[in-house]
Every structure is written in structure tokens, then in C-alpha cells.
Amino acid sequence: SGAAAAAMAPFDQVVSEYDALQRRREALLAAVAEQHALFVVARHAEENYAERQEYLGSLSHGADEMCAIHEGLTEGHRFYKVVLTELRKASEKGAEIADLREAERASLLRRMNEPPPTFTQATAQPAAAHAAPSSYAGGGASLAEARA
């Protein structure tokens, strides 16, 4: 059995080398199969490249439009804040003018309800008393002065 084993030793070496080569061949075939699968997927993906580019372009366009809309809304918001501030100022000024005119109206009605002065009273008063009220002359009385 020792002589037979010695005689078979070169064949055992060839068999072990063959087994190693067979394992390497199987590993290489597995690697080729894996790379082929990746190639098939990549080739299919390449066929859809134009379609993907078009889709990405539409996404990019949509993002640009959204940014433009957002900027327009922001600008519009600022504009209307300014307009609202100006309208409030104009409303306050209008209320002040209305209050002033109401005070002038009340004063005029009081004067109209007073009995007319007699000739001696009218000639005794200075000419300044017959001048137009200061608001008509462009001076305008303040609200506090008109209510006093």
C-alpha cells in the first residue's frame, strides 16, 4: 500500500491541481455571470437614458417654476404690506380731517344759532373777528384745538 501510494502521488498532485483549476474556473464563471447580469441591467438603463433625461428636465423645470412663483409671492407680500401701510396712513389722515371738519361744523352751527350782533356790537369788534377761520386760510387747527 505504501508502494501504491508512492506510485499514485504524481496522479494525486495532478488531481489536486485539476480540482484547484476547476474551483478557479467555477469562480471565474460566477464572476462572468455576475458581470453579465450587471451589463444587462446597465444596457436596459441606457435604453431609458433619454426618457430619464426628459423626466429629470421636467423636474428641474418644475423646481425653477416653483422658485419663480415663490419669489413672486414674496415680492407681492412685500408690495401689499407697503400698500396697507400707506392706506392706514391715508385713513388716519382722513379721520383727522373729518374730525377737524366736524369741529368746524359744530363751531359754525353754534355761531349761526347765536343772535346776530347789534350794530354797536359789530362795529366795536375788531376786523380780525370777521376773518375766515384759520383752517380755511390754510393754517388748519389741530384736533385738540378744534375740540377745545
Side-chain angles (χ1 to χ4, degrees):
S1 105
M8 291 298 287
F11 293 111
D12 288 338
Q13 184 179 1
V14 168
V15 168
S16 69
E17 286 176 6
Y18 174 77
D19 287 342
L21 286 174
Q22 186 66 17
R23 283 190 301 275
R24 185 162 188 262
R25 180 181 156 275
E26 287 172 359
L28 287 173
L29 283 174
V32 166
E34 182 183 335
Q35 292 300 316
H36 176 69
L38 291 174
F39 173 75
V40 168
V41 169
R43 186 177 67 190
H44 177 69
E46 186 177 320
E47 290 172 358
N48 295 334
Y49 180 76
E51 191 176 303
R52 282 184 294 143
Q53 286 299 104
E54 183 180 336
Y55 179 73
L56 290 174
S58 71
L59 286 179
S60 177
H61 178 70
D64 291 343
E65 289 295 318
M66 192 233 15
C67 289
I69 289 170
H70 181 267
E71 186 174 325
L73 288 173
T74 303
E75 183 177 329
H77 180 70
R78 284 191 305 261
F79 170 76
Y80 283 110
K81 280 177 72 174
V82 169
V83 167
L84 187 58
T85 302
E86 293 300 317
L87 285 174
R88 281 188 182 133
K89 287 179 186 176
S91 175
E92 290 171 4
K93 183 69 173 172
E96 287 177 11
I97 292 170
D99 289 345
L100 182 61
R101 295 302 170 245
E102 181 63 32
E104 289 174 356
R105 181 178 159 276
S107 172
L108 184 60
L109 285 174
R110 256 192 332 268
R111 286 191 355 226
M112 287 176 61
N113 288 332
E114 291 176 359
T118 62
F119 179 74
T120 56
Q121 289 173 335
T123 54
Q125 292 179 353
H130 299 289
S134 63
S135 62
Y136 295 121
S142 71
L143 183 59
E145 292 171 345
R147 288 191 175 164

